[in-house]
Amino acid sequence: MTTLTAHDPFGIVADNISTEPSSTAFSLDAANVPLEGGTDPTFGTVRWRTLINGNSDSPKEFVLGIAEFEPHGTLLPHRHDAAEFYFGLEGSGIVTIDGTPHEMRPGVALYVPADAEHDTVAGPDGLRFSYGFAEASFADILYRFSAANS
């Protein structure tokens, strides 16, 4: 019989995690996390709430946030080295990944490969989706906006 521990509940050793797993569980209410963004025309009009995010004193295994768009709001074309996921929560819109449009709405999951150019345009009712990266900190994600490079 195999005994499972809280540190390694499945008896599996992952070799792709660059930091030790966080040792402290926590919860938070997204409504209590302030919105950022929406003011720099380089990004578009998107605003976001970063919910799970590490730093040098408290590393995490991933970044999780919520992107929020007003009606017809935008996140302009950009790339980053890390792959990303989106999961639709409210509203609708179009996410274009390397030239291919994808419908975004509640319940839809999108995978954005590393270094893929992608952008978002919200529909007439706005759009909210969760996003995430397998990185220790949002500060580690270097956004390269296409318009800035032209």
Side-chain angles (χ1 to χ4, degrees):
M1 177 175 189
T2 302
T3 303
L4 302 179
T5 65
H7 178 71
D8 188 10
F10 302 107
I12 299 169
V13 176
D15 61 1
N16 63 339
I17 299 175
S18 61
T19 60
E20 285 295 314
S22 302
S23 61
T24 305
F26 65 92
S27 66
L28 58 85
D29 183 335
N32 295 328
V33 176
L35 276 167
E36 301 177 65
T39 59
D40 186 336
T42 303
F43 299 156
T45 58
V46 63
R47 298 178 301 160
W48 62 90
R49 300 172 197 270
T50 306
L51 306 176
I52 298 175
N53 189 27
N55 58 45
S56 59
D57 294 332
S58 178
K60 302 292 184 271
E61 294 78 35
F62 61 90
V63 171
L64 176 68
I66 297 175
E68 301 189 14
F69 299 80
E70 296 293 327
H72 308 289
T74 59
L75 173 57
L76 297 178
H78 65 282
R79 301 172 184 271
H80 34 71
D81 292 338
E84 183 176 20
F85 74 82
Y86 293 169
F87 183 76
L89 300 172
E90 294 177 14
S92 66
I94 299 295
V95 177
T96 301
I97 305 170
D98 280 339
T100 302
H102 300 270
E103 179 184 11
M104 176 52 68
R105 58 181 165 71
V108 170
L110 292 179
Y111 171 72
V112 181
D115 204 41
E117 183 180 66
H118 55 291
D119 65 89
T120 303
V121 178
D125 296 322
L127 175 64
R128 288 181 74 231
F129 59 77
S130 62
Y131 63 87
F133 298 96
E135 294 290 334
S137 171
F138 193 58
D140 294 341
I141 310 298
L142 175 62
Y143 280 70
R144 300 182 314 274
F145 282 87
S146 301
N149 296 328
S150 1

